[in-house]
Amino acid sequence: MIPVLIYALISLSIASTDLDTLYPELEHSRTIYVTENGPRLSVVAAESKVVSRRGGNATLPCRIQRDQSLAPSRKMRIKWTKLTSDYLKELDVFVAMDYHKRSYGSFHGRVYLQGSSPMDASLVITEITLEDYGRYKCEVIDGLEDGTVVVSLDLEGVVYPYFPRLGRYNLNFYDAERACREQDAIVASFDQLYEAWRGGMDWCNAGWLSDGSVQYPITTPREPCGGKNTVPGIRNYGLRDKDKNHYDVFCFTSHYKGRFYYLIHPSKLTYDEAVRACQKDGAQIAKVGQMYAAWKLLGYDRCDAGWLADGSVRYPISSPRRRCSPTEAAVRFHGFPDKKHKLYGVYCFKGHN
């Protein structure tokens, strides 16, 4: 054992002498760190958020950065998934490996890789729907190397509070999803509600958001809405039981393909007459989301109360004036009158491809 130790010490001494000879300027107290090479494959996005609209197209950026020392591979796998609003699941959107490509679910036939170069994994989404809103993950796998990046798809649109004929605080989460969908909308996300609040939205009734939380936006603090001495902001009830708890809902809608209009008619109409009048004009009675989109995104302005599909009566004002929402631009709400009352006109919607 002792001869081995002596040999090791002599070897170390010789190695040290060799270093002194080769690098005379090297200080003996200096520590040298040796690091492994970094990842040889990564993916990056030129922008973290892309904004589009319903019916439009969008390109979600994803570029592959690959070490030239890696051998060419035909088995590089590109996978796009969509993150659910609660981040608990990933929904398959598109997968490509060499010449094999596949799109999934509601994205089938609407998505493809931009492919401007071999290192371009950007995803093109066509005929965008409201449900396409959200965060997407681009994942590239090449043997033992892999990389991911997340890109958000945002939509131009409008958030609006909603409750049905049953009255306030009557919707569990799944009822809320259905209520928004029936009125040409989806349940709004927190980010969408936050942007609406920044734009001046003030609403004192709590509503469901897409992540299962219940919140409401306040720009003018007051006693019934979280307290008079509180700061403006979004009041948060936290995550609630999606089956047992009941609230209103915040819906989100975007641009539409079609024409929203007030039907000129010689007389006022009951609800059933209003439905038939729109059908006779080659249209359908308009939905609440369509009125909000026309008002917010197109500046639609009409001081005539009219029936909508959910049995409510409303009218959109973009230019406040006496007798027509004098204090603010808004969609005015007349409630849910008896459907047999012959007191109102009707708003229609004529869709087109």
Side-chain angles (χ1 to χ4, degrees), residues 69-87:
S69 65
L70 283 175
S73 172
R74 296 184 62 183
K75 292 188 176 181
M76 184 187 293
R77 184 170 179 258
I78 299 170
K79 182 178 182 180
W80 279 91
T81 55
K82 185 174 188 288
L83 308 178
T84 56
S85 57
D86 55 12
Y87 299 101

Side-chain angles (χ1 to χ4, degrees), residues 259-270:
R259 177 181 168 232
F260 172 89
Y261 62 101
Y262 181 80
L263 181 66
I264 303 301
H265 196 272
S267 62
K268 299 299 182 183
L269 306 163
T270 65

Side-chain angles (χ1 to χ4, degrees), residues 85 87 133 135 159 187-198 207-217 233-236 250 252:
S85 57
Y87 299 101
Y133 167 87
R135 290 177 172 85
V159 173
V187 179
S189 70
F190 171 79
D191 290 343
Q192 290 167 334
L193 183 65
Y194 177 75
E195 287 303 314
W197 170 75
R198 288 186 61 193
W208 289 103
L209 295 179
S210 61
D211 61 358
S213 67
V214 173
Q215 310 191 38
Y216 63 98
I234 296 180
R235 309 288 189 252
N236 187 356
F250 290 98
F252 173 85

Side-chain angles (χ1 to χ4, degrees), residues 262-265 267-271 273-275 277-278 285 304-308 312-314 341-348:
Y262 181 80
L263 181 66
I264 303 301
H265 196 272
S267 62
K268 299 299 182 183
L269 306 163
T270 65
Y271 176 81
E273 290 171 343
V275 170
C278 287
I285 187 169
D304 291 289
W307 292 105
L308 292 176
S312 66
V313 170
R314 309 173 195 245
H341 285 175
K342 241 177 146 68
L343 298 173
Y344 310 103
V346 62
Y347 288 91
C348 303

